[in-house]
Amino acid sequence: MTLYLGVALVAAAVVLFILQPVVKGIHASLEREDDELTETEARKRVALLALRDVEYDFLAGKLDEHDYRSLKADLTAEALAALEADEESKKGAGGGRVGDDLEAEIARMRTELRAGGACPSCAFVNEDGSRFCSACGHTLAEAVTP
Amino acid sequence: MTILGEFALWISLPVAAWGMALGYAGGRTQRGDLVLSAERSIYAVFGLLILASAGVSAAFLGDKFEYWYVASYSNRDLELFYKVTGLWAGQRGSLLFWALLLGLFSSICVFTNRNKNRSFMPYVAGVLQTILLFFIVVLLFADVNPFERLDFVPADGQGLNPQLQNYWMTIHPPTLYLGFTAFTIPFAFAVAALLNGRLDARWIQLTRRWILTSWLFLSVGIVFGMRWAYEELGWGGYWFWDPVENASLLPWLTATAFLHSIQIQENRGMLKVWNMSLVLMTFLLTIFATFLTRSGLIESVHSFAQELKIAYIFLSFMGSVLAACVVLILYRLPQLRSENQIESFFSRESAFLFNNLLLLGAAFSVMWGTMFPLISEGFTGQQISVGPPFFEKVNFPIGLFLLTLVGVGPVIAWRRATKRNLQKNFSVPVIVGAVTAVSLWMLGARHELALVTWSISAFVLTVIVTEFWKGTKARARIEGEGYVLAFFHLITRNRRRWGGYMVHVGFVMMCIAFAGAAYNTDNRFNVQPGDVVEVASPFGHTYSLTYEGLSMSIGRGQRNLLWQAIATVSVSQDGGPAQILTTEKRQYTNRDTQPMTEVGIRSIVREDLYLILSALNDTNGALRADPGAQGIDLQVLIKPLVGWIWFGCLMLAIGTIVALWPSVDRTRAATRVATAGEPALAGAD
């Protein structure tokens, strides 16, 4: 008797638990969350990470000057394209969802990627995204990302 | 409790079916209430499976021999420990345990994603419930219900196979099952991506940790199995290309290929269809492994049963999953186009691609060799096994190429490597490899395959150590940190890369150990108490072994032991201090088995000394404690470098955990982007 009571209780609890959302109309969110990267954002991130890797390989002495420059030129062009595509898609979606600050930030970064940033120590012009100066190895974090 | 468990299993059937239907329907109609109900049904199924498993465990602990499963795998004298682990001692319990673990992982997955990745979750819930439902159906309808009752209540059970009474055997299956079941989550996300159309690398990024977790458990589980074979089977080997060993190796091979090829998709937007196929293949192979172990279709030391019904059910499920996924991939084919192309033969992309081809080649050959008995039966009516020589002939060269790629991959440039890049990075490692080969040759090593393996290993290790050294040096120089701190920061700033290298080091260590098997020695002696025998190690030293004598103990059924013969041998290396080793024969009461052997192992870093009590000269005399009946056949094996397998596995596990560990930088970067709207570049530093 106790056994069947136990079984009935378990079954009833399970049924209540899984039917409640449907009966009472409790909805799980199906919305995209704010911190979820969009497709273009993801691509932008990959492009920038690839730039970082090239920097690393060069600094660690795995790439020589010539290979480094040619790879970096390619990757910079790609990063630029990814940034622009991302900006484009945000415009299409009706304005930046993270706010105008980021819009401005990206626009600024784009110009800097084109123009390059000068190293405070030796004045060598580096593309933005460089963590370190390609000529003297000085840290660029503050110099190009104010 | 047991009956409640049985009912719980029955209740889980409609719940899983409900969850499956609502998951897909909720995804299709975008109705949040249906999705919430589907997600809750996963928790519910998990809870019910806990009750069912508790029911089986209660039957074991309560010696309820009216249940077929308990009567077949336990008896009154079985140690408590093995009653607790009885849940996965046999086929029926294992299937329930599989479902339980899948329920656990599914619940973790649903819980951790309750507020994120919502576009995936309806379908993820649907897929997970489909697979849970499949296992519940198998348990209930394929004649493998662990709650099946006998018509009578036996006085005692048949007991557990003595070979399974070993602690490695109690942790090896669960570890493998954790690996198998964890891989269901990436598979579910892949199918969800095919269904919801988000076919970029997102599903891969979301499941990277799951993939690594699964891979970690698979790797460690396989090595645990090797360790069990080494300690318990009593013939000194750790891998026999047994069908079930192979079955666990297959998903490992494809999962390893997948781990590498997703990096190309993430970095270069290529190989999308390939990755979908690999995730599907790996998932099917985890099911296949379960199927092969549990169907008893191919003779194996592990096979539990010889039932055809379950084989058909498994095969039709695998066939349906395969068909459904192929249709989905074809349907999405236009969106799975590659964004880039491989630019050069000499590039990291092509190294990854070769790695994939080799791993798949290995998987195919292992599959072919494993299934050959069945194929041959189909054509000739006889099961013909191909045996270890076939597997070794095919897989040794593949293994060597893979090992070489481990060295090439990290330093070859993405896109296209120039001659200068290759020269700059490979000169020193190649020289080190060559010097290693020549030195070993001069030291007397003559086995070609072993020499080649060790030489390539030296090359690879040089590449990896140089990577760590260059990275640390660059960081120390630029950030002005000490070398220790720079090394630590180097790893924590890019755990994925450096964790991966550590895994590679573990793999190399294991390869070095496998090659050591070329120098195994096998010596057999018939000894009387007091006899001293000498055995030479390939490393040049000599062991002298003194056989001290035999001690017999007659069990009165405790721990199911009828009798136990323990041979004591004292061992000294080059006349050094003596150390005692024992090796045993045990006769168990409850099975018509041959006496079991317990081996004696003395491990040093270089090699293992492995003692086997092969036979007693006069068992009956020894049982009567006749002083003249103490002679034994003693087998003395020397197994160079075997310990490196276990060290290598440890290294591999540490590396995987490093790669798995949530990166502090990335978490901080994510919060920064979310809160302050800071530049997206945060992710790039």
Side-chain angles (χ1 to χ4, degrees), chain B residues 53-69:
Chain B
S53 308
V56 172
S57 290
F60 266 96
L61 294 174
D63 290 330
K64 298 263 197 302
F65 300 118
E66 66 266 36
Y67 291 100
W68 181 92
Y69 183 58

Side-chain angles (χ1 to χ4, degrees), chain A residues 69 115-127 132-140 143-144:
Chain A
R69 287 198 183 286
C119 170
S121 164
C122 70
F124 181 86
V125 178
N126 295 281
E127 280 102 333
F132 310 107
C133 175
S134 306
C136 68
H138 193 277
T139 311
L140 289 180
V144 266

Side-chain angles (χ1 to χ4, degrees), chain B residues 586-604:
Chain B
R586 290 180 186 173
Q587 179 67 58
Y588 286 84
T589 50
N590 51 344
R591 294 260 165 162
D592 301 327
T593 45
Q594 293 286 313
M596 303 278 306
T597 308
E598 293 288 318
V599 299
I601 301 173
R602 174 184 185 271
S603 286
I604 53 175

Side-chain angles (χ1 to χ4, degrees), chain B residues 111-344:
Chain B
F111 183 75
T112 52
N113 285 299
R114 66 195 181 284
N115 293 321
K116 55 183 186 187
N117 309 319
R118 298 305 303 171
S119 55
F120 284 90
M121 289 317 287
Y123 297 119
V124 169
V127 173
L128 292 173
Q129 283 290 33
T130 310
I131 298 153
L132 279 167
L133 179 67
F134 165 70
F135 275 93
I136 295 165
V137 167
V138 167
L139 281 165
L140 290 173
F141 302 108
D143 301 333
V144 289
N145 191 334
F147 296 104
E148 186 189 317
R149 253 160 294 205
L150 296 164
D151 300 332
F152 60 102
V153 183
D156 200 356
Q158 293 167 25
L160 184 65
N161 182 340
Q163 281 187 334
L164 302 182
Q165 299 189 29
N166 175 293
Y167 56 95
W168 288 113
M169 208 51 205
T170 57
I171 57 172
H172 154 65
T175 318
L176 265 186
Y177 287 174
L178 283 170
F180 287 164
T181 46
F183 204 85
T184 310
I185 310 286
F187 170 73
F189 270 90
V191 175
L194 286 170
L195 287 168
N196 77 3
R198 286 214 58 187
L199 293 160
D200 54 351
R202 178 118 194 104
W203 67 272
I204 290 174
Q205 285 145 10
L206 295 179
T207 55
R208 197 178 71 84
R209 294 237 164 78
W210 284 103
I211 298 166
L212 281 173
T213 308
S214 159
W215 190 84
L216 174 65
F217 282 124
L218 272 181
S219 313
V220 173
I222 291 172
V223 175
F224 282 168
M226 289 161 78
R227 181 81 207 198
W228 167 75
Y230 186 67
E231 279 187 8
E232 189 62 28
L233 289 185
W235 50 273
Y238 41 78
W239 193 265
F240 197 63
W241 302 100
D242 169 270
V244 173
E245 284 171 339
N246 293 346
S248 64
L249 184 64
L250 285 169
W252 184 88
L253 289 169
T254 53
T256 310
F258 180 64
L259 264 181
H260 289 90
S261 71
I262 54 177
Q263 299 182 38
I264 313 187
Q265 179 166 350
E266 284 178 277
N267 284 310
R268 308 276 287 124
M270 300 190 294
L271 300 184
K272 292 178 181 175
V273 178
W274 179 248
N275 284 329
M276 280 287 169
S277 316
L278 276 180
V279 79
L280 167 67
M281 214 185 302
T282 308
F283 170 72
L284 285 177
L285 285 172
T286 63
I287 301 281
F288 177 74
T290 316
F291 156 69
L292 202 66
T293 327
R294 301 312 177 205
S295 70
L297 216 54
I298 298 173
E299 278 307 316
S300 148
V301 291
H302 296 68
S303 279
F304 292 95
Q306 184 71 259
E307 288 147 2
L308 277 178
K309 190 165 175 185
I310 187 169
Y312 288 128
I313 294 183
F314 263 96
L315 282 178
S316 16
F317 176 70
M318 286 162 63
S320 322
V321 171
L322 181 66
C325 289
V326 167
V327 168
L328 271 176
I329 291 175
L330 288 177
Y331 169 64
R332 293 289 188 188
L333 210 51
Q335 285 147 280
L336 289 166
R337 275 193 328 267
S338 215
E339 291 160 29
N340 288 297
Q341 278 175 343
I342 290 196
E343 292 173 22
S344 158

Side-chain angles (χ1 to χ4, degrees), chain A residues 17-18 20 26-29 32-33 36 39 46 49 52 56 60-62 64 66-67 74 78 132, chain B residues 32-33 37 40 115 118 198 200 202 266 415-416 418 420-421 424-425 467 470 478 494 498 684:
Chain A
F17 181 60
I18 63 170
Q20 193 201 15
I26 309 171
H27 288 254
S29 152
R32 180 193 286 279
E33 293 300 304
E36 197 176 315
E39 203 165 328
V46 166
L49 284 173
R52 178 192 72 169
Y56 162 81
K62 284 158 64 180
D64 65 12
H66 182 269
D67 290 347
D74 288 358
E78 267 175 40
F132 310 107
Chain B
D33 52 342
S37 178
R40 285 192 176 184
N115 293 321
R118 298 305 303 171
R198 286 214 58 187
D200 54 351
R202 178 118 194 104
E266 284 178 277
R415 285 145 197 271
R416 52 180 185 274
T418 58
R420 283 192 308 276
N421 165 253
K424 194 172 166 69
N425 295 303
E467 277 283 282
K470 280 183 177 168
I478 292 153
N494 194 347
W498 300 102

